[in-house]
Amino acid sequence: MKSMGEMLIREVAFSEIVMGNTALVRAMVEAGTRVVTSYPGSPTPEVAEAIGSIPPEKRPFYFEFSTNEKVATEVAYGAGLNGHLSTVFFKSVGLNVAADTFVQLSLMNIIGGMVVVLGDDPGANSSQNEQDNRHLAMMAYVPVFEPSSPTEVYRYYKIAAQLARDKAMPVILRMTTHVCHAKERVHFDAYRPSPLDPTPRFDPANGPYIPIASAVFPMKRRALERLQSIAALADDADWHKFIDHGNSELGILTAGLPFLSAMDALQSASRKPDMLNLGLVYPIPRKAVASFLKTHRRVHVIEELDPILETAVRTIAQEEDIAVHIYGKTITEDWIGEYTPDKVKRILQRQWPDLYGETLQETPPHATQITPPVPARPPQLCPGCGHRSAFYAIGKALQEKDITVADIGCHTLGFLPPYRIGQALMCMGASTGIASGLSLFQSERKVIAFLGDSTLFHAGLPGILNVLFNRHRITLIVMENGTTAMTGHQDHAGSGRNFNKPTDAVSIRNLLEGMGVQYIFETDTYQQAVLTDLVRKALDIDAFSVVIARHPCMLKFMREKRRKPGFQRMRVSIDASVCRKLYECVARFGCPSFLREADGSVRIQTDLCIGDGSCVQTCPAGAIRKPEIVPSSEAS
Ligand SMILES: Cc1ncc(C[n+]2csc(CCOP(=O)(O)OP(=O)(O)O)c2C)c(N)n1
């Protein structure tokens, strides 16, 4: 196989085993997408990786990581107004940030067309909730396609793009974590590159683009009419699949990943229900659903998260007077988590015990698992992480009664033992606002907020401004590591590079000074004693104070270093004759490279230690020796 980038722009038809996120990029290429924007967040970062693998001079569209999802949506919208097919993609909760813009999109005449790709996260695999974004789509009158596999990702993106263009409107492609990450062989069509037409096509006459006062109603009417026209098209389009098992008694109506899980769960069934797998889930294809309901006596709606399809299906049955028994989310457990094959089987067994030719028998979770369960691996900071040194040092400056408010990012992990820093968490950029509220009527307890650098640029600035504006007395610690680490090292406004080229790095200090912050301290986090001292100073100030706790992300740094010629691995070691078994390294510094043996001695795990030496200063007995080159006998 050629490199991924070359594959994604191949002009002949081909087939390849790819991830949903990769299939999406090929679909963008074939559909003639011209502008793509994003802000990183799981489960979508691999989309940007696939885009980045296409040599820039051959990439048929412009791509940028914007500072947040709202801005990304606006950039894509602006490009759409100028006649370019555009796409924005981001994770589930990203839609909350983009919402103020997103909810207006359907009112507009987006002449180039716009596809909004959502990475929803049932199961909250890497999100702070598992919100069902179909609700927001319905609120904003935006149609939703929901693929269940990489092949459908590819197919439905192209359909969504075509509709978006034809109707000058936004269309959602709602992917979920395991659709993004699933792999399968996808058959790709030929790609005919077409030269970019740079003619500016923005014309206010294509609008109105100003939704105020009386203009809003006709704009909303048009949005609703477009939605109806999509519903009308859906009746005759092949945006759903009927799977005929010759069963006029039982039917399963489903969409997205639950379709695959249901197929899996039915493998061992003695009677298989017929299935209707919807591609377009909003608006629901009425004729197809009604005919499915009419031809089956009992229909089970299998959908992840909230009963949205179920409600629509019940409405159709009621309005069309169809005598059918509809089953759906009967117990609250069915609203929670991913619909894995195990779970779908349990649900089906509960409702239809005779499906498997046996009496009702609860299949315990993971009963069908072939491999033994993997031991739990709690999230932890990487060896050498600057945040660890920071937490270790900051902890020494804090008092038991102080209140710490975390934000989203790698530093969130500080809430875990041994640091236990971060007693409240909400969403990106929320820490300063929450800390401000906590600081009211509070003179005894200090309130300390934390923010990562990408998060500060993303959504942190309004909260900081509010602290200044309303004179809240909190301390903010900016955990600056030069990258958006948690989501895979994407550059941000402070990195000195954007996705495409070097750029001027925005200095956080300058930014804060420009906003009027008077008390700013900064240090490298490996200077632990200095950091402890600065945090104490900052806490003593009876006004807003900021400590910039800086150290490059060591995972990124080491990856880059390892690629350089002559790289030699380093590691620290323990001088057993000096070690007093105080366990500061294991119990308070908490680097995973230290291992406490059964005999009470402490050992360095050479495969984990990166030899950064940030631990040396933590040992009260001075037993950790400075980093040395790993001897070849120890190198793996
Ligand atoms: C609204 C929203 N968008 C994206 C994400 C995904 N996400 C999780 S942490 C994070 C940022 C991490 O970067 P930074 O603030 O620099 O902290 P670091 O992980 O580098 O310590 C992002 C983008 C999210 N949780 N919420």
Side-chain angles (χ1 to χ4, degrees), residues 207-235:
Y209 293 119
I210 307 209
I212 46 171
S214 58
V216 173
F217 293 159
M219 292 169 91
K220 178 172 173 181
R221 199 160 292 123
R222 187 179 55 195
L224 292 169
E225 281 164 8
R226 281 171 172 160
L227 206 55
Q228 273 168 358
S229 73
I230 300 269
L233 284 176
D235 279 332

Coordinates of all heavy atoms in Angstrom, one line a residue, residues 207-235:
G207 N -28.6 36.2 0.5 CA -29.1 36.1 1.8 C -30.6 36.1 1.9 O -31.2 35.6 1.0
P208 N -31.2 36.7 2.9 CA -30.5 37.5 3.9 C -29.6 36.7 4.9 O -29.8 35.6 5.2 CB -31.7 38.1 4.7 CG -32.8 37.1 4.6 CD -32.6 36.5 3.2
Y209 N -28.5 37.4 5.3 CA -27.6 36.8 6.2 C -27.6 37.5 7.6 O -26.7 37.3 8.4 CB -26.2 36.8 5.6 CG -26.0 35.9 4.4 CD1 -25.7 36.5 3.2 CD2 -26.2 34.6 4.5 CE1 -25.5 35.7 2.0 CE2 -26.1 33.7 3.4 CZ -25.7 34.3 2.2 OH -25.6 33.5 1.1
I210 N -28.6 38.3 7.7 CA -28.7 39.1 9.0 C -30.0 38.7 9.7 O -31.1 39.2 9.4 CB -28.6 40.6 8.7 CG1 -27.4 40.9 7.9 CG2 -28.7 41.4 10.1 CD1 -26.7 42.1 8.1
P211 N -29.9 37.7 10.6 CA -31.2 37.2 11.2 C -31.6 38.1 12.4 O -31.4 37.8 13.5 CB -30.8 35.8 11.7 CG -29.3 35.9 12.0 CD -28.7 37.0 11.1
I212 N -32.2 39.2 12.0 CA -32.8 40.1 13.1 C -34.2 40.4 12.8 O -34.6 40.5 11.6 CB -32.0 41.3 13.4 CG1 -31.6 42.1 12.2 CG2 -30.8 41.1 14.3 CD1 -31.0 43.4 12.5
A213 N -34.9 40.6 13.8 CA -36.3 41.1 13.8 C -37.1 40.3 12.7 O -37.1 39.0 12.7 CB -36.4 42.6 13.5
S214 N -37.8 40.9 11.8 CA -38.8 40.3 11.0 C -38.1 39.3 10.0 O -38.8 38.4 9.5 CB -39.6 41.3 10.2 OG -38.7 42.1 9.5
A215 N -36.8 39.5 9.8 CA -36.1 38.6 8.8 C -36.1 37.1 9.4 O -36.0 36.2 8.6 CB -34.7 39.1 8.6
V216 N -36.1 37.0 10.7 CA -36.0 35.7 11.3 C -37.1 34.7 10.8 O -36.8 33.5 10.5 CB -35.9 35.8 12.8 CG1 -35.9 34.4 13.5 CG2 -34.6 36.5 13.2
F217 N -38.3 35.2 10.8 CA -39.4 34.3 10.5 C -39.3 33.6 9.1 O -39.4 32.4 9.0 CB -40.8 34.9 10.7 CG -41.0 35.3 12.1 CD1 -42.0 36.2 12.5 CD2 -40.4 34.6 13.1 CE1 -42.2 36.5 13.8 CE2 -40.6 34.9 14.5 CZ -41.5 35.9 14.8
P218 N -39.1 34.5 8.0 CA -39.0 33.8 6.7 C -37.7 32.9 6.7 O -37.7 31.8 6.0 CB -38.8 34.9 5.7 CG -38.7 36.2 6.5 CD -39.2 35.9 7.9
M219 N -36.7 33.3 7.4 CA -35.5 32.4 7.4 C -35.8 31.1 8.1 O -35.4 30.0 7.7 CB -34.3 33.2 8.1 CG -33.8 34.4 7.3 SD -32.7 35.4 8.3 CE -31.1 34.7 7.8
K220 N -36.5 31.2 9.2 CA -36.9 29.9 9.9 C -37.8 29.1 9.0 O -37.7 27.9 9.0 CB -37.5 30.3 11.3 CG -38.0 29.1 12.0 CD -38.4 29.4 13.4 CE -39.0 28.2 14.1 NZ -39.5 28.4 15.4
R221 N -38.7 29.8 8.4 CA -39.7 29.0 7.5 C -38.9 28.3 6.4 O -39.2 27.1 6.2 CB -40.6 30.1 6.8 CG -41.9 29.4 6.3 CD -43.0 30.4 6.1 NE -43.5 31.0 7.4 CZ -43.6 32.3 7.7 NH1 -43.1 33.2 6.9 NH2 -44.1 32.7 8.8
R222 N -37.9 29.0 5.9 CA -37.1 28.3 4.8 C -36.3 27.1 5.4 O -36.2 26.0 4.8 CB -36.1 29.3 4.2 CG -35.4 28.7 3.0 CD -34.4 29.8 2.4 NE -33.5 30.3 3.4 CZ -32.7 31.4 3.3 NH1 -32.8 32.1 2.2 NH2 -31.9 31.8 4.2
A223 N -35.8 27.3 6.6 CA -35.1 26.1 7.3 C -36.1 24.9 7.4 O -35.7 23.8 7.1 CB -34.6 26.6 8.6
L224 N -37.3 25.2 7.8 CA -38.2 24.1 8.0 C -38.6 23.5 6.7 O -38.8 22.3 6.6 CB -39.5 24.6 8.8 CG -39.2 25.0 10.2 CD1 -40.4 25.8 10.8 CD2 -38.9 23.8 11.1
E225 N -38.8 24.3 5.7 CA -39.1 23.8 4.3 C -38.0 22.9 3.8 O -38.2 21.9 3.2 CB -39.4 25.0 3.4 CG -40.7 25.6 3.5 CD -40.9 26.9 2.9 OE1 -40.0 27.4 2.1 OE2 -41.9 27.6 3.1
R226 N -36.8 23.3 4.0 CA -35.6 22.5 3.6 C -35.7 21.2 4.3 O -35.4 20.1 3.6 CB -34.3 23.2 3.9 CG -34.0 24.3 2.9 CD -32.8 25.1 3.5 NE -32.3 26.0 2.6 CZ -31.5 27.0 2.9 NH1 -31.2 27.2 4.2 NH2 -31.1 27.9 2.0
L227 N -36.0 21.2 5.5 CA -36.0 20.0 6.3 C -37.1 19.0 5.8 O -36.9 17.8 5.6 CB -36.3 20.3 7.8 CG -35.9 19.4 8.9 CD1 -34.4 19.1 8.8 CD2 -36.2 20.0 10.2
Q228 N -38.2 19.7 5.4 CA -39.3 18.8 4.9 C -38.9 18.3 3.5 O -39.3 17.1 3.2 CB -40.6 19.7 4.7 CG -41.4 19.7 6.0 CD -42.5 20.8 6.0 OE1 -42.6 21.5 5.0 NE2 -43.3 20.8 7.0
S229 N -38.2 19.1 2.8 CA -37.8 18.6 1.4 C -36.8 17.4 1.6 O -36.8 16.5 0.8 CB -37.2 19.7 0.6 OG -35.9 20.0 1.0
I230 N -36.0 17.4 2.6 CA -35.1 16.3 2.8 C -35.9 15.1 3.2 O -35.7 14.0 2.8 CB -34.1 16.6 4.0 CG1 -33.2 17.9 3.6 CG2 -33.2 15.4 4.3 CD1 -32.0 17.6 2.9
A231 N -36.9 15.3 4.1 CA -37.8 14.2 4.5 C -38.5 13.6 3.3 O -38.6 12.4 3.2 CB -38.8 14.7 5.5
A232 N -38.9 14.4 2.4 CA -39.6 13.9 1.1 C -38.6 13.1 0.3 O -38.9 12.1 -0.2 CB -40.1 15.1 0.3
L233 N -37.4 13.6 0.2 CA -36.4 12.9 -0.6 C -36.1 11.5 0.0 O -35.9 10.5 -0.6 CB -35.0 13.7 -0.7 CG -35.0 14.9 -1.6 CD1 -33.6 15.6 -1.4 CD2 -35.1 14.4 -3.0
A234 N -36.1 11.5 1.4 CA -35.7 10.3 2.1 C -36.6 9.1 1.8 O -36.1 8.0 1.9 CB -35.7 10.6 3.6
D235 N -37.9 9.5 1.5 CA -38.8 8.4 1.3 C -38.4 7.5 0.2 O -38.6 6.3 0.2 CB -40.2 8.9 1.1 CG -40.9 9.3 2.4 OD1 -40.5 8.6 3.4 OD2 -41.7 10.2 2.4

